[in-house]
């Protein structure tokens, strides 16, 4: 093992970041309060953990340019989940099992063990016979400077699993034993494989935690597994399932057999830009998930990565969301309460009626804002409600609540001259008295939550500063809006 080489490669990456960060910071598409890299490309959240009084974000990072390549682990810490301090790169490719220009230190997770911070990640290499993915360990006493374990890799692809489809370990501890779930593929069907260890270093295969029977794609990326009240939750991002990007299954788990039996399935987010969510626990016991706000080229609606690569960066994280279990064992995903500290310039309207003519709403500067309202369904006879966000000239992103057909849609075909596509979800309102709507807008994204935080759409929109109008209207009747409130959002990153 070459600690010297990893240190040199980290220093090289840091030099690149330092030389470009001020130029990148001035980019027109940079977010105001969504987490993003200082420079280069970011994808999956990794190693999310609360450790020694700080929240830690690690993340897949190519520090050199705004496209995917040569994966490192970036690192940042926060006291409040909103304001982040960038730390030195935590992991860089350096070993025969993780040093390849189209590989590197792929996704993984973090856990505290013996007072140290342990990272478990996928090393990806290619020595001329195809890509090989293995699970590896790195550890740190100060939570900043990491050493790769000399016994790496600690897990190799099992028989029947292609060597390039075995990745993204998520580790946890239960009753003194460490467990890890890993994404895999066997016979062209996705799997979540379960391993266990007594010391975090020596691992044994336990069982196939869960697997597709053909309905959930050929590969399960970034699996996560955790208990929520008296139920267990498995999440993953299925490859080969077209528009599905972040699936959850809810059911029961037996630690004696290592088998998960699920009864409920659902979608974490229906938008086009939500992938690879990872969860962690806060000190007060909340289960928080964070997802990557982008999409891969194999998805049916993919166009390209967006224009930010021209500014020397690409990608950011969606807002942290708290996971809660509903009485029917479905899940809801609420923006974390820490977002409230960013609020400023509150505006509110107790109630107003929307008809077939545009009403202009005010929320912050129309670019970086939060907006909440409720549609009173008992006092509504309209066929649909539409909200135009980030309007300017002929450009707009339209949020459509189609009461007549039971559909929620986010249309970004006219958003910015760059984006395209419409995200859809079922809007089931039978027997409900109101529809709650909660919107977060940032420079390059919209996150729209509705219907008790179970109908959520995250979509990237690369709109200019002159696109700062908000319009609302109804078709086929009236909509009574109650409890409207809006806020500007303080900047965290500019």
């Amino acid at each position: 093992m070459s600690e010297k080489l990893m240190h040199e490669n980290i220093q090289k990456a840091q030099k690149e970041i330092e030389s470009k960060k001020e130029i990148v910071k001035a980019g027109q598409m940079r977010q105001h309060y969504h987490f993003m890299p200082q420079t280069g490309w970011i994808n999956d959240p990794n190693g999310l953990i609360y450790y020694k009084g700080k929240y830690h974000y690690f993340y897949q990072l190519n520090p050199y340019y705004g496209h995917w390549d040569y994966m490192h682990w970036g690192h940042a810490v926060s006291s409040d989940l909103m304001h982040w301090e960038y730390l030195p790169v935590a992991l860089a490719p350096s070993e025969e099992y993780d040093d390849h220009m189209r590989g590197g230190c792929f996704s993984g997770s973090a856990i505290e063990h013996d007072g140290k911070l342990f990272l478990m990640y996928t090393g990806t290499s290619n020595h001329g016979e195809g890509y090989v993915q293995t699970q590896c360990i790195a550890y740190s006493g100060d939570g900043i400077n990491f050493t790769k374990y000399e016994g790496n890799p600690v897990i190799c692809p099992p028989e029947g699993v292609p060597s390039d489809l075995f990745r993204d370990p998520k580790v946890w501890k239960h009753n003194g034993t460490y467990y890890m779930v890993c994404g895999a593929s066997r016979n062209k069907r996705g799997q979540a494989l379960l391993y266990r260890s007594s010391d975090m270093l020596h691992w044994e295969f336990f069982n196939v935690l869960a697997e597709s029977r053909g309905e959930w794609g050929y590969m399960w990326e970034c699996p996560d597994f955790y208990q929520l009240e008296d139920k267990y939750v498995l999440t993953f991002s299925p490859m080969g399932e077209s528009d599905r990007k972040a699936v959850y299954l809810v059911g029961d788990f037996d630690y004696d057999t290592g088998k998960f039996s699920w009864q409920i399935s659902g979608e974490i987010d229906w938008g086009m830009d939500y992938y690879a969510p990872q969860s962690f626990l806060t000190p007060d016991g909340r289960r928080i998930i964070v997802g990557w706000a982008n999409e891969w080229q194999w998805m049916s609606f993919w166009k390209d990565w967006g224009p930010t690569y021209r500014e020397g960066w690409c990608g950011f994280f969606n807002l942290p969301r708290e996971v809660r279990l509903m009485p029917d064992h479905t899940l809801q995903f609420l923006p974390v309460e820490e977002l409230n500290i960013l609020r400023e310039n509150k505006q509110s309207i107790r109630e107003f009626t929307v008809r077939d003519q545009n009403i202009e709403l005010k929320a912050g500067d129309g670019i970086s804002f939060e907006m909440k309202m409720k549609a009173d369904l008992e006092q509504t006879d309209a066929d649909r409600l539409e909200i135009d966000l980030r309007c300017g000239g002929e450009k707009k992103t339209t949020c459509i609540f189609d009461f007549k057909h039971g559909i929620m849609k986010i249309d970004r075909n006219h958003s910015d001259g760059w984006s395209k596509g419409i995200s859809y979800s079922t809007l089931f309102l039978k027997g409900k008295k109101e529809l709650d709507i909660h919107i977060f807008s940032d420079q390059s994204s919209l996150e729209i939550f509705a219907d008790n935080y179970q109908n959520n759409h995250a979509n990237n929109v690369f709109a200019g500063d002159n696109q700062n109008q908000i319009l609302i209207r109804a078709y086929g009747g009236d909509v009574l809006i109650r409890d409207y409130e809006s806020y500007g959002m303080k900047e965290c990153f500019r």
Side-chain angles (χ1 to χ4, degrees):
M1 183 183 74
S2 175
E3 280 193 53
K4 181 181 178 182
L5 181 57
M6 185 171 86
H7 179 73
E8 290 174 352
N9 287 345
I10 287 175
Q11 292 299 110
K12 182 181 177 183
Q14 284 301 125
K15 184 177 180 180
E16 185 79 6
I17 292 169
E18 292 298 320
S19 69
K20 294 179 177 179
K21 68 179 183 181
E22 292 303 318
I23 298 173
V24 172
K25 188 177 181 179
Q28 296 299 303
M29 292 290 105
R30 294 287 281 178
Q31 296 279 58
H32 296 257
Y33 59 95
H34 284 71
F35 182 83
M36 57 192 168
Q38 288 175 289
T39 69
W41 163 280
I42 188 176
N43 59 288
D44 303 352
N46 296 158
L48 309 187
I49 192 172
Y50 185 82
Y51 174 73
K52 291 188 175 179
K54 296 279 188 179
Y55 294 103
H56 290 250
Y57 276 2
F58 297 89
Y59 46 94
Q60 290 286 277
L61 173 70
N62 173 21
Y64 296 101
Y65 40 85
H67 291 284
W68 181 91
D69 207 0
Y70 204 40
M71 283 293 99
H72 298 58
W73 274 39
H75 189 193
V77 295
S78 173
S79 297
D80 61 10
L81 282 174
M82 296 293 113
H83 300 88
W84 292 89
E85 174 191 355
Y86 294 104
L87 295 180
V89 169
L91 296 177
S94 63
E95 312 304 316
E96 59 88 20
Y97 53 79
D98 69 8
D99 194 359
H100 190 272
M101 282 303 297
R102 304 297 291 175
C105 302
F106 276 18
S107 296
S109 55
I111 194 168
E112 184 173 353
H113 170 60
D114 286 346
K116 296 180 179 179
L117 185 57
F118 274 64
L119 307 181
M120 194 171 194
Y121 71 97
T122 298
T124 300
S125 61
N126 188 333
H127 301 291
E129 298 180 355
Y131 287 97
V132 177
Q133 296 177 342
T134 57
Q135 313 318 319
C136 306
I137 296 287
Y139 53 88
S140 170
D142 61 9
I144 299 175
N145 301 289
F146 289 86
T147 299
K148 293 177 182 177
Y149 174 50
E150 62 183 11
N152 281 340
V154 295
I155 307 174
C156 294
E159 184 177 353
V161 171
S163 64
D164 61 340
L165 296 174
F166 178 61
R167 55 182 175 265
D168 312 331
K170 177 62 190 297
V171 63
W172 74 96
K173 188 177 184 180
H174 176 77
N175 287 348
T177 298
Y178 294 93
Y179 295 85
M180 183 273 285
V181 61
C182 188
S185 177
R186 185 181 270 112
N187 298 323
K188 298 182 179 180
R189 293 184 176 184
Q191 289 187 322
L193 304 181
L194 185 63
Y195 290 78
R196 60 185 175 184
S197 170
S198 61
D199 62 3
M200 268 298 297
L201 298 175
H202 302 89
W203 293 84
E204 63 175 3
F205 174 72
F206 189 11
N207 206 346
V208 176
L209 179 72
E211 59 189 329
S212 172
R213 297 175 61 190
E215 73 275 49
W216 295 117
Y218 70 87
M219 171 65 188
W220 288 0
E221 290 201 297
C222 300
D224 198 351
F225 190 66
Y226 50 86
Q227 186 171 358
L228 205 60
E229 297 183 21
D230 62 344
K231 289 292 179 179
Y232 287 83
V233 177
L234 174 64
T235 65
F236 54 88
S237 289
M239 298 182 72
E241 274 296 283
S242 190
D243 295 353
R244 291 189 179 272
K245 302 164 301 304
V247 171
Y248 74 80
L249 309 178
V250 179
D252 301 299
F253 177 62
D254 185 352
Y255 271 104
D256 291 331
T257 65
K259 205 66 177 177
F260 173 63
S261 174
W262 59 273
Q263 299 85 38
I264 300 290
S265 65
E267 201 86 11
I268 297 174
D269 193 288
W270 299 86
M272 298 179 186
D273 296 291
Y274 195 94
Y275 198 79
Q278 185 173 112
S279 79
F280 64 98
L281 281 173
T282 63
D284 59 5
R286 290 173 293 157
R287 176 65 62 172
I288 306 298
I289 61 170
V290 180
W292 172 50
N294 221 316
E295 57 206 61
W296 292 115
Q297 61 267 42
W298 47 263
M299 296 177 181
S300 63
F301 44 72
W302 188 79
K303 177 189 175 186
D304 52 37
W305 303 116
T308 65
Y309 73 92
R310 297 171 176 171
E311 300 178 352
W313 68 287
C314 184
F316 47 89
F317 289 170
N318 285 295
L319 297 176
R321 305 178 185 183
E322 180 184 354
V323 186
R324 292 184 183 175
L325 185 70
M326 300 289 281
D328 63 358
H329 296 153
T330 58
L331 301 180
Q332 59 176 178
F333 304 92
L334 295 81
V336 293
E337 60 191 31
E338 283 85 352
L339 282 158
N340 294 350
I341 67 179
L342 303 184
R343 289 174 169 175
E344 61 182 3
N345 303 325
K346 179 180 180 179
Q347 300 189 52
S348 61
I349 307 172
R350 183 174 177 273
E351 67 177 44
F352 61 96
T353 300
V354 182
R355 297 188 170 91
D356 62 356
Q357 292 187 336
N358 282 328
I359 297 174
E360 185 170 1
L361 298 176
K362 295 296 183 181
D365 61 1
I367 299 168
S368 176
F369 64 83
E370 176 187 1
M371 184 168 65
K372 300 177 72 174
M373 69 186 80
K374 296 176 182 177
D376 186 331
L377 299 177
E378 294 182 316
Q379 301 294 319
T380 290
D381 60 2
D383 292 335
R384 71 180 188 273
L385 176 71
E386 293 188 357
I387 306 173
D388 289 339
L389 304 165
R390 301 301 304 277
C391 304
E394 298 298 315
K395 296 176 181 177
K396 62 183 179 180
T397 299
T398 303
C399 180
I400 303 164
F401 301 94
D402 189 332
F403 306 129
K404 184 176 181 179
H405 300 101
I407 300 172
M408 177 178 170
K409 297 186 283 188
I410 312 299
D411 185 344
R412 64 177 191 177
N413 283 319
H414 306 285
S415 293
D416 51 27
W418 188 282
S419 306
K420 70 172 186 178
I422 303 174
S423 59
Y424 296 82
S425 61
T426 297
L427 189 64
F428 192 79
L429 300 177
K430 182 178 176 62
K432 297 178 182 177
K433 296 182 179 181
E434 63 184 23
L435 171 64
D436 54 291
I437 301 168
H438 196 172
I439 297 171
F440 288 87
S441 173
D442 206 341
Q443 186 71 53
S444 297
S445 64
L446 291 166
E447 290 184 63
I448 300 165
F449 301 83
D451 197 12
N452 215 14
Y453 299 96
Q454 295 188 291
N455 229 325
N456 312 317
H457 290 243
N459 288 303
N460 295 347
V461 172
F462 303 101
D465 287 350
N466 62 334
Q467 294 177 235
N468 59 359
Q469 274 191 304
I470 305 165
L471 303 174
I472 188 170
R473 62 190 169 273
Y475 291 94
D478 299 345
V479 178
L480 180 63
I481 299 295
R482 298 189 188 275
D483 302 329
Y484 174 85
E485 58 185 67
S486 68
Y487 306 87
M489 300 294 278
K490 300 173 185 175
E491 295 201 10
C492 294
F493 289 100
R494 287 217 168 184

